[in-house]
Amino acid sequence: MTETPLMPSANEAGSFKMFRAMVGIGIACALAIVATYQLTLPVITANKAEALEKAIFNVLPGAATRVNYRWNGRRFEKISPDIHGRDVIYVGLDKDNQLIGIAVEAGGQGFQDAIQLLYGFDPYKQHIVGFQVLESRETPGLGDKIDKDAAFKANFNALDARLNDESTRLAHPIVTVKHGAKTHPWEVDAITGATISSKAVGVILNNSVQYWAPLIHQHLDELKE
Amino acid sequence: MKTGNLWFIFINASLINNFVLAYFLGICPFLGVSGKLSTASRMGMAVTFVMLISSMAAYGIHAFLLWVDAPFLQLISYIVVIASTVQLVEMFIKKFSPTLFKALGIFLPLITTNCAILGLALFQTNKGYNFLESFVFALGAGLGFTLALVLMAGLREKLDFAEVPAIAKGTALTLLVAGILSLTFMGFAGLGG
Amino acid sequence: MQQKSPGKLQQFFHFPEGDGLATDEFIKGLWRENPVLVQVLGMCPTLAVTNSATNAIAMGLATLFVLVMSNVLVSSLRKVIPKQVRIATYILIIATFVTVADYVIQAISLEVHKALGAFIALIVVNCIILGRAEAFASKNTVWKSLMDGLGMGIGFTFALLLLGTVREILGNGTLFGFPFFPDSFQEWVIMILPGGGFFTLAFWLLFFNGMKARKKDNHTEVHPEKESVEEVYV
């Protein structure tokens, strides 16, 4: 290496010089960060909205637009499409603005780490119409089949989530059964070699549907308007 | 549900998603300071200690940044706070417990650039843990790091007596052992699931 | 904080001194002093995000950007920054560029940003960047530091790509997402698991060590009985 030590003696500086350098660089850095943030923010927001929309339309076949609603404890209120989270549901409308289904985010513990997924729910027939993994770190080649295995995904084309007579909870909780043992429409047929991940999906869906399905059933009119 | 959740966070951070063996965080000290069992355990202690403190600090900063609505300052404030925490901890220990300082002393400055600390702060924010959960997460991550480091040091002390081809000596061999350790730790997956 | 007069500008891009285009500063990072394969620095991102070639490239480019920018800035400010606070300012500068890179990646592709996750932010603590700022950029001209940053950054990307391609081809049967093998190929899942990262890097290091050992043998004719006994592998 041909490094030439250029460190000048002026570097042994007093506190004013230190202060000046730190503050100067601090201000320059702050400007750079804020400028980038402001420039990229609209693009990022648009990208995120697009990605979410794609996922929603994927789990709600036939949907053309979506409206976000938040459960405030008493009723569903319409909110800006930029807000999302655990207490938000996405109502999918078809071309004639008719409610065709509701997409809900749900999450829980998988085999490796938390799984985040989005599922579509049909409030008329009271069944799940599809789901998509938003985020997971399941073992590649085994656990991550929950998002790829066609036979497994077929479980969710019309997964029974009917409410009981009092409309307080599901008539039959959603359960994952061993591969090939599915006999009822509310059962999920697990993937061989990825039983724990499959079970996790069942549990996550069950928890979420048990909570949302009665609410949606009771307040369906608020969502339809 | 609540305590079960905390227990799970602990198991998850220490074993299932061990910081070193599954997330590759803190590989530098893992490769560098794992030669001897005694140094490895002390390094582990130092990291756990700093992790706990910086995790709490990061929790505070995150709350503050949310309050002033400046998410873009997250990274820069985390790194500055971690660096200064390490300095403070160092001065504090030096003053109040010279014995502890002797044990941890030389490792503390090294920890500033340890990605496991920053990684911990970022992960706990991404996962949206509350204060108690963050604390347990930091404890689990620190102990998991110590465990990996101590296991590695034990293995390497044994390997010193083995005959190894010259080209495999050093980092390559350590990495091979680390790979096998990482595979063994995969056996923990599904614990508490 | 930028240059104030043309005189200073000339000082920054100080071509003379006999370093010409400083090609050596560029080339050394590619091979002789490759940050990953020779210096074994920056291991976290090297292992964590190389489960596919695309991720490896994205991570490499992000690091390259931060490395070049921080090298240039540190070296152009090297006479203004007092010695006592230099590490703090370097970290500030690096963290700024990493934040910038983070947002730019997020704007370009959410997919990539999701795949790299927290590891983009963790570029801050990549020892290569602080190491180059302290060991090189703080003592050399802007031009030389730029070349050094480019060389080291490309060397880093190259090493990541070596790992990423091997792991993706064997572990997923694809390269850059395109099928690489006929369908009958059974993927070696272990390669994209964390353990595979350790193994792949270990094998590349073995490979390069072996090449080096062989080169040494050719140069010096083998003298097994001399002091280089350990150097001659069995």
Side-chain angles (χ1 to χ4, degrees), chain A residues 25 29, chain C residues 70 73-74 77 81 89-97:
Chain A
I25 290 172
C29 289
Chain C
S70 71
L73 203 61
V74 164
L77 295 176
I81 301 175
T89 40
Y90 297 164
I91 290 182
L92 209 60
I93 291 171
I94 295 169
T96 306
F97 285 119

Side-chain angles (χ1 to χ4, degrees), chain A residues 121-140:
Chain A
F121 179 72
D122 183 336
Y124 306 119
K125 293 183 195 146
Q126 295 192 342
H127 62 211
I128 288 169
V129 288
F131 91 100
Q132 180 182 351
V133 175
L134 295 177
E135 217 177 309
S136 91
R137 269 177 44 85
E138 298 305 280
T139 325

